[in-house]
Amino acid sequence: MLPPELQQLITNFSEHYESYKNSDYNETALRRDFLDEFIKILGWDVNNKANLHEAFREVIHEDRLKMKETSGKSPQSKAEGHNRAPDYCIQQGSTKVFYIEAKKPSVNLRDDPSPALQVRRYGWTAGMPVCLLSDFDEFVVYDTSVQPKNTDNAAVARIFYCNYKDLDAHNPKNAGTETNWEYLYNLFSKEAVWKGSLLKLKTSNKKKGTQEVDEVFLQEIETWREALAANITNRNATITERELNFVIQKTIDRIIFLRICEDRGIEEEGLLRTAAGGKDIYRHLLNLFMDADDRYNSGLFHFHTEKATDDEPDTLSEKITIDDKVLKDIIKNLYYPDGPYEFAVLPADILGSIYERFLGKVIRLTPGHRAKVEDKPEVKKAGGVYYTPQYIVSYIVENTVGPQLADKTPLTLKNFRIVDPACGSGSFLIVAYQYLLNWYLGQYTRKPDQYKKQLTRTGSGKTGGLVNPADYKLTIAERKRILTDHIYGVDIDTQAVEVARLSLLLKALEGLNSQEIQKELFNERVLPNLSGNVKCGNSLIGNDFYAQGLLGFTEEEQLKINAFDWDKEYPEVFKDGGFDVVVGNPPYFNIQTLGAGAKEVKYIQDKYDRIWQDKSDILFYFIYKGLQISKGSLGFIVSNAFLFSDKAQKLRNHIIQDGRLSRIVNFEQYMVFGDASITSGIFIFEKGKQKTKAVVVKEKDHSPAEISEIINNDKNYFDVNFTQNDVFALVNEKIKLLNARIDKDTTPLQDLFIIGKGMETAANDVFLFKEYPSKFPKKYIKKRLVGENIMPYYLVDKPDYLLYIENVEDFKLLPDAIQQHLKANKKRLSERADKKRRSTAPWWNYTFAMHKEYYHLPKIWCSYRSKNNAFVLDETDEYIGLTNTTVIFGTNAVYSLKYLMALLNSKLLSFRYKSIGKQTGSGVFEYFANGVGKLPIFVPDMKKAAEKEKHDNLVALVDQMLALKKREQTESVPQTKTMIGRQIKALDGEIDKAVYKLYGLTQEEIRVVEGEA
C-alpha cells in the first residue's frame, strides 16, 4: 500500500491533472507543491530542518550548474537551451548520491530525449549510478553509468518508467514482487541509500562493463597527451624529455582549469571554444593563460618572476609550437555535443582519481626523437596506481584533524598545519581543506557580527530569530588564508605536485560566482600561490645523501633522488615543533626495488637504522618519518602486512615506544582498493600517550556507508595491547586471554622440528614441466606441490614435474640427457642473480635449496595461503615444494608427525593461527615458516603412560583419517562417497575433542574457538 501522504499527493494531482498538463504550470510550482513532498516521503530533509550548513544538508535545491546553448545536428542534441541546474541534489553526509530533475507536466518524459540527456549528463559526470527524472505525472529512472550520447533517444539507459496512477501497481519489468512505489522507495529512500542500494547498483553497473566518467575522461586526456607529445616532438626538434613532460602537463592542466571555471560560471562561457575557432590557436591560448595569471595568481599560470614565490617562471611554453588541429580536437571534445561532460558537477575526488592514474605514466623520447608513453618505474614496482576512496580519506581527516580542533577557536588556530608527505594528486589535502572551511564557517556563524570580514551573507541570515549557517559563506580572502595557513604537501613527482596545487585551487574557487571573482579582483588576484605550501621533494631522503659531494651523480640521478630537507623547506613549521597533523596514503613496495640502487637503500638503512630490516617495505619509513615530523596526530592508510611481518618487528617496537597509536581499522577481507590484491588498514596516532583501540572488518562485501557506520561507531572498537618483539594481534580481551591459555605449558613448533620453505630455482621455465619428462631418468624427477594439492590430511596427486639435481655434487655425474638440457639453457641459468653474486656458485643447480639435507625425511607440507590450517603428511619422498611452500621435516624422533598433524589441522590451532598469521584478501591467511613455527604445541611426556596414551590415541585417529581420505578420493559410488564424507566429519570432531582436552579448554572456551560465543 502507498503511504497516506503519497496517496493524498496523487489525489491532489489527479484532481487538477488537465489544468497542470495544459497550462503554464511550471516546474518551480511543481517542485513546491509535489516533488518536495514526495522527497520528504522518501525520508530526506527537504527543508533543512536540521539547520545544517550547505555542505551537509541532505537536499540541495538547484545545485549550481550553468547549462549551455548547443547547436547539435539532431533534435536530440538540444538537451539544454538556457541556464539551468539539477533541481535537487540528494546528499548523504557531504557526498552527493543522486540528482532529481524536475520538468513541468506538459513535457513528455517517455518520448522527449532532451530531459533524458540532461539528467543523464548530470549523473554520469558526477559518477552517480542512477538519477530520477519526474514531472510527478511520470517517474523515470536512468542508469547514469551509461555514457550519454547526443544521438540517444529517451529510452536509452532507461531502467524504470511509471505513471503516477501506477505507483501502487506491479511493474512486469521489475524483478521480484515490488510495486512501483516500493521499487522507488527501495532505491532512493534515505533508509535504502544508507543500506547501500546505490552502491549495489554501481557494483552491478561495473560488472556489466559500462564506462564511468573517470574511465572515459582518463582515456580522453591520455589521448591528448599522446597527440600533444607526437606533435610537439615533431614541431620542436630540440625539446628535451623533461621539457616535453613539463609543457604537456602544464597545457593540459591549464585547459582543464579554465574549462571547469567556465562551467562554474567563473570564466566567460565558451572561452576556450572561441579561442579554438580560428587559426594560430596556441597563441590565442597563451594569451588566455597569461590573462589568467593576472586574475588567479596561481602557479599554474606563472610566466614572470615574482617576489611572492620561489618557483621559477614558465619560460618554455611561449617558445614551443603546437599545430591547430591537435588543439582544435582537444577543445572540441570538451563541449557538448562532441563531449558528454558537465564539468561543474565533476567531483574533486573523481578528478583526483583521473589524475592519479594519468600521472602513473611518463613520456620518454626514443633515440629517434619520437615520443613514447610508458608506466613510471615506481608505478610498475607498486603494481599500479590506487586512488584512496573518499570515505576513507574523510575518516582519516575527521579522526586526526577533528580531535585537535575540539578545543580551538579561530583565534587559537593560527599556526595549525596539516601535511601529506606523499600527496599525489592531493586527495587528502582537498578533504582536509574542506574540513577546515566547514569548521571555520561553523565558528564564524556562531557570531556573524564579530566576523563580518570573513563572511559573505547569501540569505536573510536568520531563521525564526536564530542564525542560519546556510545563509553565509566564507569570503574569497578567507578561503585563501585558510588554504595557505593550514595546508601543506610534498611529493617526489613534480607533475603530482602541479596537480595537487591545481586540485586545491579548484577547491578554493568552489561555490564562487563571477561577481565575487570580479569583486575580489579590485583588491588582489583571486587565488594564492601555493609554491610555499605544496612542494616537490623526496620525503625520506635529505641533502645529507650527498655528504660525500655530488661527484658521481648525474643530473638525472639527482632529479630522481630529489633530496628534500623538511626543516629547511618549512622552517616556520619546525620552529613550532613540526606539523600538527600528518595524513596520507604513502607508497608500498619493497625497499630493495628502489630505482636509484644500492646508494639510496644504504642511505635509508643508515638514516632509519632504528627500524631498518632487510627487504622491508617503503611504507615503514613513511610511518617513521610521519611520526618524526608530527607533533600531534598522524593518520595513514597502508598495507596491513606490517602487523604480522617479521621484517616489521623493529617498526612495531618503535610504534609501541612512541605511544601515540590510538586507533586501528583493520580490513581483513574488505578490499578498500578494489581489484588490487592489497589488504589494508587505517592507523591513527594521537598526541600524547594513548590506549590503542581496534576494529576488524572481517567481511568483504560492504557499502561505503556500511563501512563508515562500522568504523565510526565506538562500540565496535575493543582495547588491544602490544608487547615488544611480538606481532600486533588485533584480538579482543577474551580472545587474548584464550590465546594465552592455549599457549600455556606448550612449546613453539619451531623449537621441536626443523621448519623450512620450498626450494627456489630462479628459472622455473628450465626446471619445471607440465608433463612427465620421460627423457630424464626417474630418480631425478620430483612432483611439485602447490596450494591446490594440499588438503587437510590429503595430498591431491595432480602435480607438475621438477628436475631435481640438488643431491648431485658434480655436473659431470649427471646423466647426458640432463647435461644437454642444462647446457642448452646455460646463458639463462648463469645470469640468475644468485649465480652472478656468488662467483663460486655452480651455474647449473637451484639458487636456494635450504635444508636440502632433510628432504629425504618424512615431512608435513602446508600451502602458503589458506583460509584455515591445511597440513598434509608426505612419507614418499616423491614431492617437492617451491619458494613459499612451508615444510616441517621429521627431525624429532620422539613425536610422530601424525600426532603433530592432528594438532595442526585441528580447529584449535587453526583458531590460534589467526592471531599469528597475516590475513590477505577474502579471509585467506599466509602460512610462512616463521608464522607456522610460532604455533603452540602440547608436548606430551612420553615417559608417562597417560600422556603417551594421549599421543598414541591421536596417532591412531589420524591413521583412520588417512585411510578414510584415501577411500573418499577413490570411491565412485555417490552413496558410498557420502557415507565416507560423514565418517570423515565425525572423525574430525573426535580429533578436535581430543585436542581440546589435551590443551585443557573449557566448554565456554571451545564455543569461542568454534565461533559460537
Side-chain angles (χ1 to χ4, degrees), residues 893-1002:
V894 179
Y895 309 105
S896 167
L897 286 179
K898 292 176 182 176
Y899 168 79
L900 179 61
M901 193 164 58
L903 303 187
L904 295 175
N905 282 324
S906 69
K907 285 181 180 177
L908 179 66
L909 289 196
S910 194
F911 167 86
R912 184 65 185 91
Y913 193 76
K914 288 173 171 55
S915 297
I916 296 172
K918 174 185 177 291
Q919 188 174 34
T920 62
S922 302
V924 172
F925 288 83
E926 289 183 344
Y927 285 79
F928 292 130
N930 51 23
V932 171
K934 294 174 184 175
L935 281 168
I937 304 302
F938 179 84
V939 180
D941 186 343
M942 301 298 278
K943 294 177 182 178
K944 295 180 179 178
E947 294 202 11
K948 184 178 185 301
E949 184 180 353
K950 294 176 182 177
H951 172 277
D952 294 346
N953 178 50
L954 278 171
V955 171
L957 290 173
V958 169
D959 279 330
Q960 293 178 53
M961 179 66 79
L962 294 177
L964 283 172
K965 286 282 187 178
K966 187 174 182 180
R967 282 184 61 198
E968 183 184 43
Q969 298 304 315
T970 57
E971 182 57 58
S972 57
V973 178
Q975 185 178 359
T976 308
K977 199 175 183 76
T978 299
M979 179 193 70
I980 295 170
R982 289 170 181 161
Q983 291 174 347
I984 288 171
K985 188 174 181 180
L987 191 56
D988 245 336
E990 288 301 310
I991 292 173
D992 283 330
K993 286 178 184 177
V995 174
Y996 290 143
K997 190 173 181 180
L998 201 64
Y999 284 78
L1001 264 65
T1002 65

Side-chain angles (χ1 to χ4, degrees), residues 386-454:
Y386 305 110
Y387 189 78
T388 313
Q390 186 84 353
Y391 63 95
I392 296 292
V393 179
S394 296
Y395 175 85
I396 291 174
V397 169
E398 287 166 9
N399 285 277
T400 51
V401 179
Q404 295 215 42
L405 299 184
D407 60 348
K408 298 288 196 304
T409 68
L411 296 177
T412 61
L413 205 66
K414 184 178 180 183
N415 294 324
F416 185 79
R417 301 177 180 100
I418 304 166
V419 70
D420 182 345
C423 65
S425 65
S427 58
F428 279 84
L429 300 181
I430 292 167
V431 173
Y433 179 39
Q434 183 64 63
Y435 193 93
L436 288 172
L437 292 173
N438 296 341
W439 182 84
Y440 270 107
L441 184 62
Q443 292 284 316
Y444 293 155
T445 52
R446 291 177 184 175
K447 300 177 181 178
D449 293 337
Q450 183 178 331
Y451 293 106
K452 289 179 180 179
K453 290 183 179 180
Q454 288 82 12

Side-chain angles (χ1 to χ4, degrees), residues 96 99 121-128 202 213 342 345-347 350:
K96 298 178 180 181
Y99 288 128
R121 287 176 63 206
Y122 297 161
W124 182 76
T125 305
M128 297 170 177
K202 193 167 189 174
V213 65
E342 279 296 349
V345 297
L346 183 66
I350 289 182

Side-chain angles (χ1 to χ4, degrees), residues 383-557:
V385 176
Y386 305 110
Y387 189 78
T388 313
Q390 186 84 353
Y391 63 95
I392 296 292
V393 179
S394 296
Y395 175 85
I396 291 174
V397 169
E398 287 166 9
N399 285 277
T400 51
V401 179
Q404 295 215 42
L405 299 184
D407 60 348
K408 298 288 196 304
T409 68
L411 296 177
T412 61
L413 205 66
K414 184 178 180 183
N415 294 324
F416 185 79
R417 301 177 180 100
I418 304 166
V419 70
D420 182 345
C423 65
S425 65
S427 58
F428 279 84
L429 300 181
I430 292 167
V431 173
Y433 179 39
Q434 183 64 63
Y435 193 93
L436 288 172
L437 292 173
N438 296 341
W439 182 84
Y440 270 107
L441 184 62
Q443 292 284 316
Y444 293 155
T445 52
R446 291 177 184 175
K447 300 177 181 178
D449 293 337
Q450 183 178 331
Y451 293 106
K452 289 179 180 179
K453 290 183 179 180
Q454 288 82 12
L455 293 172
T456 297
R457 199 163 80 180
T458 58
S460 65
K462 291 189 177 182
T463 302
L466 300 174
V467 172
N468 184 358
D471 286 342
Y472 291 92
K473 64 180 180 179
L474 298 171
T475 63
I476 296 177
E478 183 62 7
R479 293 174 73 93
K480 288 193 292 184
R481 184 200 66 77
I482 293 169
L483 179 56
T484 54
D485 279 4
H486 300 305
I487 302 297
Y488 295 80
V490 177
D491 200 279
I492 195 170
D493 187 337
T494 182
Q495 291 178 313
V497 168
E498 291 295 335
V499 171
R501 292 176 181 177
L502 167 66
S503 300
L504 287 166
L505 294 173
L506 286 169
K507 173 58 74 172
L509 289 173
E510 205 168 73
L512 303 179
N513 55 46
S514 56
Q515 290 79 13
E516 290 171 304
I517 297 292
Q518 292 302 318
K519 183 179 178 182
E520 182 68 9
L521 283 172
F522 281 112
N523 303 312
E524 57 183 2
R525 287 186 287 185
V526 175
L527 290 173
N529 190 300
L530 296 179
S531 61
N533 291 69
V534 184
K535 299 192 176 191
C536 187
N538 190 325
S539 287
L540 299 180
I541 295 181
N543 279 290
D544 57 344
F545 180 85
Y546 302 113
Q548 306 302 318
L550 295 175
L551 290 177
F553 293 95
T554 66
E555 185 178 353
E556 282 299 320
E557 286 172 333

